[in-house]
Amino acid sequence: MPGAPGAPGAPESPGTGVTLGQLLLAEYAALKEEQKCRIGFRDNLLYVTLTVVAAVIAAAVQAKQPAIVLALPPVCVVLGWTYLVNDEKISAIGAYVREELGPRLSQLAGGAGAFGWERVHRENLRRRSRKAVQCVIDLLAFCLVPLAGLGVYWAGGQGSPGLLVLSGFEALSVIGLASQVIAYARPLR
């Protein structure tokens, strides 16, 4: 059996008795655990964003102070960027498993495929449409909502010059985030 300790094609680390296959499987387990944690964290960021948006809007309405909505852009940009970074790392782990780790384990196993799910689930016919819808949701949650808040603030026409300048910078940061959301989604990986 090619993957068994001491078998041909299963090199052991000197003095440890650990095979390369065992090390690669341990790396896979650690990566999948990290990916699982990042998925949970990323997905919770959408709920946190919705909660913060609702709280800011409620505070602005209750206090009758439109300037409070100026809190939306920085909060949404920070949460959106954190969401995007985690999403990219989740995808990077999947790509590494598919393109590096899986082939190395397959080679050690004498050509038997490893981690087929990492490849198969990406071949779903609706994957591209799901990715496109997710991009729209990300843009809506992290970019459109704060831009709408800025629009409400600007429409009020009662902003001080300093807050108007600040709101302009906030708009640029939200647009910058939107460009990154689109850039990361464009390949629809």
Side-chain angles (χ1 to χ4, degrees):
M1 177 180 222
E12 291 184 6
S13 300
T16 64
V18 176
T19 67
L20 178 58
Q22 290 168 327
L23 289 173
L24 293 174
L25 287 173
E27 180 182 15
Y28 173 75
L31 287 169
K32 292 308 281 185
E33 181 61 27
E34 178 181 347
Q35 191 179 48
K36 181 180 92 171
C37 290
R38 285 185 179 274
I39 288 169
F41 181 73
R42 177 203 61 192
D43 292 352
N44 282 330
L45 285 170
L46 277 172
Y47 302 122
V48 169
T49 301
L50 292 173
T51 302
V52 169
V53 165
V56 168
I57 291 171
V61 169
Q62 186 176 7
K64 295 183 175 127
Q65 292 291 324
I68 293 175
V69 298
L70 293 180
L72 286 175
V75 168
C76 288
V77 167
V78 168
L79 292 171
W81 181 251
T82 306
Y83 178 94
L84 192 61
V85 167
N86 273 280
D87 190 59
E88 192 280 327
K89 296 298 182 207
I90 292 163
S91 295
I93 290 170
Y96 176 76
V97 168
R98 276 189 317 282
E99 298 165 12
E100 300 289 330
L101 200 53
R104 289 172 67 196
L105 273 167
S106 292
Q107 184 180 22
L108 284 175
F115 312 130
W117 174 248
E118 298 289 341
R119 178 186 44 76
V120 170
H121 82 278
R122 297 175 56 79
E123 296 170 357
N124 184 290
L125 297 176
R126 290 187 224 129
R127 184 171 186 281
R128 289 181 66 82
S129 64
R130 277 195 324 267
K131 293 288 280 183
V133 169
Q134 187 62 54
C135 180
V136 170
I137 290 169
D138 296 346
L139 287 169
L140 176 66
F142 299 116
C143 303
L144 186 61
V145 167
L147 287 175
L150 289 171
V152 166
Y153 176 73
W154 293 329
Q158 299 173 6
S160 70
L163 288 180
L164 286 172
V165 170
L166 174 66
S167 68
F169 283 117
E170 288 182 339
L172 291 175
S173 70
V174 172
I175 291 167
L177 176 63
S179 72
Q180 292 301 300
V181 169
I182 292 167
Y184 278 95
R186 190 178 10 239
L188 296 176
R189 306 175 266 159

